[in-house]
Amino acid sequence: MTELPTLTITKADLDERGVYIGAASVEDYDGNIEIAAKLGLVRFSGRLKARGSIRAGLGTSIYAGGAIKAVGSIEAGVSIGAGGSICAGQSIDAGGDIAAGGYIEACEYIKAGQSIKAGGSIKAGWDIDAGV
C-alpha cells in the first residue's frame, strides 16, 4: 500500500486573520492534512477535504466555510467548526467543541471535550461523547 503524502500547514501559510493562503489546494487534497500546534483558529474559506486524515495540533482550532471531509479521521486540539457538514470515514475528535451548519457523521466515534452541535443529524458507528 502506498503511503499518502502529507500537507503540513504552518503559520507561514496563514494571513494575519488566520485564513489559509498556502499554495496547495485543500478543497480536495490527495493525502493527509496536518495543521501545526498553537496557531489558534485556522480558517479555510471554502471546503476542507482530504483523502487521508485531517489533524490540527494542540492549541489549534479548524473552521471551514464549507464542509470538512476526510476518508480518515478529523482531529483538532481545540475545536472543529464548519459552515457545512463534517464527515469522517473514521473518527471525529476535538478537545473543545464540534459544530456544523449541516450534519456530523463518523463511521467510528465522535468525541468533543465540550459540546457537539449540528444543524442536521449527528451519526456515528460507535459512541458519541461530549464533555469528556
Side-chain angles (χ1 to χ4, degrees), residues 56-88:
L58 293 175
T60 299
S61 292
I62 304 168
Y63 179 81
I68 300 176
K69 295 187 177 190
V71 172
S73 295
I74 301 170
E75 301 173 12
V78 187
S79 297
I80 301 169
S85 298
I86 301 172
C87 182

Side-chain angles (χ1 to χ4, degrees), residues 6-104:
T6 298
L7 171 65
T8 301
I9 297 173
T10 66
K11 186 173 180 156
D13 298 306
L14 309 176
D15 70 10
E16 65 280 349
R17 296 178 302 121
V19 177
Y20 176 72
I21 55 170
S25 172
V26 294
E27 295 256 334
D28 196 2
Y29 188 72
D30 192 22
N32 299 303
I33 298 173
E34 295 205 356
I35 305 165
K38 300 180 185 177
L39 294 180
L41 178 59
V42 176
R43 296 175 179 90
F44 299 89
S45 56
R47 175 177 67 181
L48 178 61
K49 183 179 177 187
R51 190 164 65 102
S53 293
I54 299 170
R55 291 189 172 92
L58 293 175
T60 299
S61 292
I62 304 168
Y63 179 81
I68 300 176
K69 295 187 177 190
V71 172
S73 295
I74 301 170
E75 301 173 12
V78 187
S79 297
I80 301 169
S85 298
I86 301 172
C87 182
Q90 293 178 349
S91 60
I92 301 171
D93 194 340
D97 299 316
I98 299 171
Y103 65 85
I104 299 172

